[in-house]
Amino acid sequence: MTRTLTAPAAVDRRHRSVLADRNFRLLYTADAAGRLGAQVSFLAIPVLAQTVLHAGAGEIGVLSALGTMAFLVIGLPAGTWVDRMPKRTILLAANLSRVALVASLPVAWACGVLTLAQLYVVVFLIGVATVFFDIAHLSYVPSLVGAGRLVAANSRLTGLNQVADVSGRGIGGLVVQLLGAAAVVVDALGFLWSAWSIARIRANEPSPHRTARPRLWRETAAGLRFVLGHRVLRALAVKGAMTNLGIQLCQVSFVVLCTQQLRLSAGVLGLVLSAGGIGGFLGALLASVAGRRLGHGRALWLVGMLTGPFALLTPFMARGPLLWVAAAGWLLTIVQTGLANVLAVSTRQTVTPPALLGRMNATYRFLLTGALSVGALLAGLIGAWLGPRAAICTGAVLIATSWLVIFCSPLRNVRHLHELDDCAG
């Protein structure tokens, strides 16, 4: 399904830079603030658990899994609730909830009462708020920018996410060394700034979809059936789940390998992890050009085929030159993720009716973030039994082969988004 804008003002708007739109700039700023802080905590919380609370590989795996477990618990019905409510209100409430939760950690540390149990509870509840924020955010963008600028808007937002990966994790390693538990204060301030930016958005939002006699699970099941019954959406979901599972296996195991076996500092660990952010940023920058030159669908599998095998360098990570060879391999590997986060998300938003956007995005978050939870748990289990290198190797193989799903799908030869009308059933 495609949507076209015919009014002259709409045509002029489509050809302007998406950042020229004040409302999109505010959303962009909100993303910048929230994601930069969140990336600091991505490193700060597990390192805090290891250095202050002496958590082992299995406990770090559980902690990482809890951050995404909420998508498995409430991810699907959350999409139905998002379809019924104003998206901007949900974004504000989610951010303010995360401010309060994150701020509790440095307070507990300062009082000498910080425990692993508190970390588990806080990380899970932050995940609950993130469920609603992410689903509402993805469902809000199409109405904010219009169908003609979806790829441009998603390219900007994805590029921003990857910059946050680079700067947040790189800076986060240094901040953790200097401030310990207080490093998560940066996260709380980021969410507060994000909420303030979203509160200033002034854009007309379509009225939420409501049924005469709403049935939560019936509406939720309709969204799930739509995604799994659509050949394009189904292929993107399987490919994304495979990639996320592999990435999480690697990233969680990187933390254990670098801190426990290689005895590297948090700052060096942050630099290694930030390599993935650089790769994702490059992928986001290349997405629009690759989509035009190679074709929208072909770019998804071809870039994955070329970059995925570099993941196989990461299990050889060691002190010295091999550390940076592995980091370079990780950088090239994640290029495909940055590109997919633009082209795949734009594809999903294009083929989904507005009334189903929340449930479609919820289904994807359930599947893709659920894969992160499974990956974190598997990283802990494999790491405890066979060592972190075995977990990294497993993840690398999944990443290196995930492009085959798109190659074997209707997206294989799709060049333009308007061609997707023929790929629904």
Side-chain angles (χ1 to χ4, degrees):
M1 180 183 71
T2 57
R3 296 181 285 274
T4 59
L5 302 174
T6 57
V11 173
D12 290 341
R13 182 172 178 261
R14 189 172 59 224
H15 286 87
R16 293 164 57 205
S17 168
V18 71
L19 285 175
D21 187 312
R22 175 183 179 274
N23 289 320
F24 181 76
R25 280 201 312 273
L26 288 170
L27 184 66
Y28 187 82
T29 302
D31 261 21
R35 293 187 185 279
L36 179 61
Q39 292 304 329
V40 173
S41 284
F42 174 86
L43 184 58
I45 290 178
V47 170
L48 174 66
Q50 284 188 309
T51 58
V52 176
L53 302 176
H54 310 294
E59 291 166 320
I60 294 297
V62 171
L63 185 65
S64 298
L66 284 171
T68 53
M69 192 68 71
F71 284 90
L72 296 176
V73 178
I74 65 164
L76 288 176
T80 304
W81 289 320
V82 168
D83 278 336
R84 296 175 181 176
M85 300 168 64
K87 311 299 184 290
R88 178 172 164 274
T89 301
I90 297 172
L91 295 174
L92 279 170
N95 267 338
L96 293 176
S97 298
R98 294 190 290 190
V99 170
L101 290 164
V102 173
S104 72
L105 296 179
V107 171
W109 176 74
C111 295
V113 295
L114 182 66
T115 65
L116 193 60
Q118 181 184 352
L119 282 181
Y120 285 162
V121 172
V122 167
V123 166
F124 177 74
L125 292 179
I126 290 172
V128 171
T130 301
V131 168
F132 284 93
F133 184 91
D134 285 359
I135 294 171
H137 184 278
L138 286 167
S139 304
Y140 191 43
V141 171
S143 66
L144 193 67
V145 303
R149 299 194 298 173
L150 269 180
V151 173
N154 286 324
S155 180
R156 294 285 188 179
L157 292 170
T158 300
L160 174 66
N161 294 349
Q162 303 305 329
V163 169
D165 281 351
V166 177
S167 57
R169 295 179 190 181
I171 295 171
L174 299 175
V175 173
V176 170
Q177 287 184 209
L178 295 173
L179 301 180
V184 295
V185 171
V186 176
D187 196 7
L189 293 175
F191 289 137
L192 188 61
W193 185 7
S194 180
W196 179 70
S197 296
I198 290 169
R200 296 166 59 209
I201 294 176
R202 297 291 181 266
N204 293 326
E205 184 179 340
S207 298
H209 172 73
R210 299 181 187 277
T211 58
R213 299 180 61 187
R215 294 289 186 271
L216 178 63
W217 290 109
R218 184 177 298 172
E219 293 178 41
T220 301
L224 185 61
R225 285 195 302 270
F226 175 72
V227 171
L228 297 182
H230 195 292
R231 291 187 296 166
V232 168
L233 295 179
R234 185 171 61 241
L236 291 173
V238 173
K239 196 273 184 188
M242 281 184 65
T243 302
N244 279 10
L245 180 63
I247 287 174
Q248 191 76 331
L249 275 164
C250 291
Q251 288 190 146
V252 172
S253 301
F254 287 165
V255 174
V256 177
L257 177 65
C258 290
T259 59
Q260 293 187 356
Q261 293 191 8
L262 303 183
R263 303 296 180 183
L264 299 173
S265 68
V268 173
L269 173 59
L271 291 175
V272 172
L273 291 174
S274 69
I278 295 173
F281 177 68
L282 293 175
L285 286 181
L286 292 171
S288 295
V289 175
R292 289 194 304 269
R293 299 284 182 85
L294 301 175
H296 200 90
R298 282 188 284 185
L300 284 168
W301 68 263
L302 187 57
V303 172
M305 181 184 71
L306 295 174
T307 64
F310 285 100
L312 300 174
L313 294 174
T314 57
F316 300 101
M317 187 179 294
R319 295 182 72 94
L322 282 179
L323 177 68
W324 306 113
V325 170
W330 190 240
L331 184 155
L332 293 171
T333 298
I334 304 302
V335 166
Q336 64 169 304
T337 302
L339 181 136
N341 284 344
V342 175
L343 298 183
V345 168
S346 300
T347 299
R348 287 158 39 189
Q349 292 168 333
T350 298
V351 302
T352 302
L356 280 168
L357 277 171
R359 281 166 285 176
M360 178 276 291
N361 286 316
T363 300
Y364 266 87
R365 286 304 192 190
F366 175 81
L367 296 173
L368 303 191
T369 312
L372 294 177
S373 297
V374 174
L377 290 172
L378 284 177
L381 290 173
I382 296 173
W385 292 343
L386 302 175
R389 291 188 192 277
I392 294 171
C393 187
T394 303
V397 171
L398 285 171
I399 297 169
T401 57
S402 61
W403 63 272
L404 288 167
V405 177
I406 302 299
F407 183 79
C408 296
S409 80
L411 277 168
R412 175 177 174 178
N413 293 314
V414 168
R415 294 194 60 86
H416 305 290
L417 287 176
H418 67 76
E419 299 173 27
L420 293 170
D421 286 336
D422 301 325
C423 303

